[in-house]
Amino acid sequence: MEARKKKLPIGIENFEEIRTKGFYYVDKTGLIKELLENWGKVTLFTRPRRFGKSLNMSMLKSFFELDGRKETFEGLAISNETLLCEEYMGKFPVISISLKGIDAGSFNTARELAVQIINGEARRFQHLLDSDCLIIYDKMLIQHCCGQI
């Protein structure tokens, strides 16, 4: 019986899609450990085009995001870091904004597209409007982004 060959994830930059739909994946989860052990206030990822920056950002989002799917990381290097996973995996709200898809002929159009992206991300956190975690001003900002004000 012939083993099923994995597919190449050409043009796919969604970590969970690559992991759950049978694509080849070169394990870069060591980056998570490295970032946590050698952290700074800001981390700048500079790489040439098509070098995996967006995929790595998607991987980080999947790791840290609240209610993330732990099974997505099974068999990867980071899954061997039990204490680190217990402390950080699935424990944080993650705001993820990519402006790479903005292709506009004018500043105003680019600005409108950027606002749409930011508003979409704000909608993912509408549940915080019912929370005591935010002050009224922050709740008003979310409502404004979501078009409720």
Side-chain angles (χ1 to χ4, degrees):
M1 189 169 175
E2 184 178 322
R4 185 173 164 212
K5 291 184 178 182
K6 292 188 174 201
K7 305 170 274 188
L8 293 174
I10 297 171
I12 300 173
E13 53 196 39
N14 181 297
F15 176 77
E16 288 194 14
E17 182 179 356
I18 288 173
R19 291 289 294 156
T20 59
K21 294 191 177 172
F23 289 98
Y24 277 108
Y25 175 71
V26 175
D27 189 353
K28 303 278 182 142
T29 59
L31 172 67
I32 298 167
K33 180 180 178 187
E34 185 178 326
L35 287 172
L36 290 170
E37 290 179 348
N38 305 309
W39 72 276
K41 283 187 177 183
V42 175
T43 301
L44 177 63
F45 294 96
T46 58
R47 298 284 186 273
R49 288 183 50 145
R50 310 295 312 153
F51 220 80
K53 294 180 299 293
S54 295
L55 178 57
N56 281 338
M57 294 299 102
S58 177
M59 173 192 66
L60 291 170
K61 178 183 177 188
S62 294
F63 182 83
F64 290 108
E65 190 164 49
L66 291 171
D67 302 322
R69 298 177 53 206
K70 295 179 193 241
E71 61 271 10
T72 308
F73 291 89
E74 286 178 6
L76 298 177
I78 196 65
S79 65
N80 296 326
E81 303 295 333
T82 310
L83 294 175
L84 195 141
C85 288
E86 287 174 5
E87 185 173 353
Y88 295 101
M89 186 184 276
K91 303 284 172 91
F92 302 93
V94 176
I95 297 171
S96 178
I97 296 173
S98 173
L99 304 178
K100 78 183 231 175
I102 295 178
D103 185 17
S106 72
F107 172 80
N108 287 336
T109 303
R111 182 182 181 279
E112 288 174 23
L113 293 170
V115 166
Q116 287 177 15
I117 291 169
I118 293 166
N119 288 349
E121 196 65 6
R123 280 191 295 279
R124 285 187 345 121
F125 292 93
Q126 278 185 332
H127 64 278
L128 292 175
L129 295 173
D130 299 325
S131 167
D132 293 332
C133 295
L134 297 180
I135 62 173
I136 300 241
Y137 178 77
D138 291 334
K139 289 182 180 186
M140 287 175 53
L141 288 175
I142 291 175
Q143 288 173 320
H144 179 73
C145 283
C146 297
Q148 296 176 2
I149 292 180

